[in-house]
Amino acid sequence: MKVVKFGGSSVASGNQIKKITGIITSDEKRRVIVVSAPGKRYSDDVKVTDLLIQLGDSLQIGVDHEEAYRQVISRFEEIVLDLNLDESVLREVQRKIDDSIALIRREDPTGIDALKACGEDGSALVVSAYLQTLGHEGTYVNPKEAGILVKDQPGGALVLEESFERLYKLRERQGTLVIPGFFGFTEDDQLVTFSRGGSDITGSIVAAGVKADLYENFTDVDSVFCVNPMYVENPRPLTSLTYREMRELSYAGFGVFHDEALIPAFKEKIPVCIKNTNNPTAPGTMIVAELPEREEHVVGIASDEGFLNLYVSKYLMNREIGFGRRLLQILEDEGVSFEHAPSGIDDMSVIIREHHLPKDKEEIVLQRINDELQVDMVLIERDMAMIMIVGEGMNQTIGIASSATSAFQEAGVNIEMINQGSSEVSMMFGVKSEGLGPAVQALYKVFFGEK
């Protein structure tokens, strides 16, 4: 059995849905399908999830929401008409959107999540209905019916272990099962969404639950590349990666895969293949548990912007028991999550995504650090970017750090921070955002240029 997940670009239009149904019906092992909300049809288009968020925001603050509502309905109407589906499909999609809006108007706390989930839910209703028109047994399966139980956690739902036993029962069902991604249900029957991009998480959870032979994730690229094509023209494609490598790359800006998505598949050792909806015969990139044989020690270079550095300095910090815990406790108290925390004898940096520490909260955090920790210096440096080089073979190879730092020197980019994870699968560098492009290009030349 294969579990297949189709991303937003794969369900963005009626024509794309015709493609994915062709992919589904070409292999009888593709029996469980997970779909995202309709994505962009062209570069300047708007994703349906963004329209739903805009609609929800308008409803909450009491401003005109009719245009956002019209755009959402119009997107689904266009798809339904392109596929020549019965009007009842569109009416069911619209009913679920209207029900979610009613929850928001009643100030029900579940309303916003219910509305955000309507994109994926609508896609699943449409795809299952279209399969039926083609003479295939396509069945819409709500995540609650499938058995996806979650814990409501700020910033994103977390799957509960009992989900996997429930999901295994899907193997007993006939035909093609189409499940909307991105959301599950709590034990008290409340709809809760995963973090943004969470349809990948659903796909991985379902693959683990049914103990699939393969989890295929269809997107709009032939394979994972070793670097972002935004910075390097025609970068090298990757035929295989390990789970750990892909997780590190996903976290640090590889947009192909949600950074949390691989964990359920990893635990069950289910291989994952990333493929292209628009070129389904291409081999794609396989993600596996064991290190594939290859010559390169560095497999990829990932990068992302939008970070800040909270720098704290205090003489003899290393002798002050509990200093780091108390610093992080202040961030926890203020609802600020952090990414990395490299430290020295007298100083400590905490790397935070900028949107987690807005300007209005910054003053409170700085004041508390000064008052409660009596530090010599505390400052915040914004407009930071992180660059990560990744590879399972790095820990057995001499000179990786030296080669990397030489690349930064050649690019004329100053390194603000270095952090190597304890897993030794990655090495991270912090730079000012303006140096991101030149640094990535120089690193690519060093690790992937002509030998």
Side-chain angles (χ1 to χ4, degrees):
M1 175 186 284
K2 295 179 181 179
V3 170
V4 188
K5 183 262 176 179
F6 291 100
S9 62
S10 301
V11 292
S13 66
N15 187 53
Q16 288 297 93
I17 289 175
K18 290 176 184 177
K19 289 181 186 178
I20 73 167
T21 51
I23 292 168
I24 293 165
T25 56
S26 68
D27 186 345
E28 62 181 15
K29 291 183 179 179
R30 290 173 175 143
R31 288 184 47 214
V32 183
I33 313 302
V34 175
V35 290
S36 296
K40 292 183 177 184
R41 296 160 294 184
Y42 43 85
S43 60
D44 295 331
D45 200 12
V46 182
K47 297 178 180 179
V48 165
T49 300
D50 289 330
L51 291 172
L52 288 166
I53 291 171
Q54 180 184 336
L55 173 57
D57 289 344
S58 299
L59 286 161
Q60 284 190 313
I61 62 177
V63 300
D64 181 45
H65 65 278
E66 291 301 325
E67 178 59 22
Y69 179 82
R70 187 197 63 77
Q71 289 185 56
V72 172
I73 301 302
S74 176
R75 285 293 300 274
F76 281 108
E77 183 178 26
E78 179 184 291
I79 292 171
V80 167
L81 289 173
D82 283 351
L83 298 176
N84 199 28
L85 296 176
D86 191 87
E87 276 188 20
S88 61
V89 178
L90 180 61
R91 287 199 300 269
E92 179 63 8
V93 173
Q94 188 166 3
R95 181 191 68 78
K96 293 194 173 190
I97 293 171
D98 290 343
D99 288 349
S100 302
I101 289 172
L103 289 174
I104 295 171
R105 283 178 167 155
R106 294 200 302 267
E107 298 185 357
D108 188 312
T110 67
I112 289 295
D113 270 15
L115 183 62
K116 287 193 296 183
C118 286
E120 283 75 11
D121 203 65
S123 288
L125 288 165
V126 167
V127 171
S128 58
Y130 187 61
L131 282 167
Q132 292 167 20
T133 66
L134 299 176
H136 294 274
E137 191 178 351
T139 305
Y140 164 85
V141 182
N142 185 274
K144 179 183 175 182
E145 180 188 353
I148 301 177
L149 279 177
V150 298
K151 177 183 178 183
D152 190 358
Q153 189 86 351
L158 296 175
V159 67
L160 297 177
E161 282 300 316
E162 50 263 49
S163 298
F164 299 104
E165 185 177 344
R166 296 183 180 207
L167 283 162
Y168 189 75
K169 295 177 182 177
L170 293 177
R171 296 181 68 97
E172 301 169 4
R173 299 184 60 165
Q174 300 300 310
T176 304
L177 310 180
V178 186
I179 304 172
F182 188 42
F183 68 100
F185 287 82
T186 63
E187 291 178 309
D188 58 358
D189 205 26
Q190 298 298 315
L191 186 154
V192 184
T193 58
F194 295 110
S195 53
R196 186 70 190 267
S199 292
D200 284 340
I201 300 176
T202 302
S204 186
I205 289 168
V206 173
V210 302
K211 299 190 185 304
D213 301 312
L214 178 67
Y215 170 35
E216 294 180 312
N217 191 297
F218 279 83
T219 179
D220 55 3
V221 293
D222 281 352
S223 63
V224 176
F225 297 102
C226 65
V227 71
N228 190 334
M230 181 187 300
Y231 300 114
V232 176
E233 187 176 357
N234 297 320
R236 184 184 302 183
L238 297 171
T239 57
S240 59
L241 289 164
T242 66
Y243 291 114
R244 293 203 305 171
E245 288 171 337
M246 190 66 220
R247 172 146 166 74
E248 296 279 2
L249 291 169
S250 297
Y251 163 74
F254 264 47
V256 173
F257 229 112
H258 191 290
D259 63 292
E260 299 174 19
L262 286 173
I263 297 172
F266 168 75
K267 288 181 177 178
E268 291 295 328
K269 291 185 167 51
I270 295 168
V272 178
C273 188
I274 297 174
K275 294 176 73 68
N276 189 350
T277 296
N278 303 310
N279 187 18
T281 58
T285 299
M286 286 295 297
I287 305 170
V288 294
E290 301 298 324
L291 176 67
E293 289 190 15
R294 57 174 178 246
E295 294 182 9
E296 293 86 358
H297 303 296
V298 173
V299 71
I301 304 164
S303 55
D304 205 4
E305 296 180 86
F307 293 90
L308 63 83
N309 176 22
L310 171 63
Y311 175 78
V312 179
S313 177
K314 186 176 184 180
Y315 182 58
L316 297 180
M317 179 192 295
N318 64 317
R319 296 190 185 182
E320 191 171 328
I321 296 173
F323 183 91
R325 174 187 58 76
R326 287 185 289 138
L327 173 59
L328 297 180
Q329 184 65 55
I330 291 172
L331 296 178
E332 181 181 346
D333 292 345
E334 300 300 331
V336 179
S337 62
F338 75 99
E339 306 291 321
H340 312 279
S343 63
I345 296 174
D346 295 323
D347 53 19
M348 183 173 179
S349 288
V350 183
I351 307 301
I352 301 168
R353 291 195 182 268
E354 285 195 299
H355 65 268
H356 286 158
L357 186 59
K359 291 283 189 179
D360 58 339
K361 192 174 287 186
E362 177 181 317
E363 292 183 19
I364 298 170
V365 169
L366 293 178
Q367 190 64 50
R368 286 194 60 184
I369 291 172
N370 275 312
D371 292 346
E372 298 173 30
L373 301 181
Q374 299 295 304
V375 297
D376 298 325
M377 179 190 300
V378 56
L379 56 88
I380 287 178
E381 185 177 18
R382 292 184 177 267
D383 197 29
M384 296 282 291
M386 296 293 139
I387 302 172
M388 182 185 287
I389 57 174
V390 175
E392 291 271 10
M394 285 171 46
N395 62 338
Q396 302 166 359
T397 309
I398 297 172
I400 295 291
S402 174
S403 297
T405 52
S406 296
F408 283 99
Q409 183 177 9
E410 181 181 330
V413 176
N414 187 50
I415 300 172
E416 307 287 336
M417 181 275 291
I418 300 177
N419 187 32
Q420 180 160 11
S422 57
S423 67
E424 298 186 351
V425 177
S426 64
M427 185 178 297
M428 180 172 283
F429 301 87
V431 301
K432 297 297 290 183
S433 293
E434 62 191 21
L436 179 58
V440 169
Q441 291 160 8
L443 287 165
Y444 182 84
K445 182 178 178 181
V446 166
F447 292 112
F448 299 102
E450 293 184 9
K451 302 248 188 303

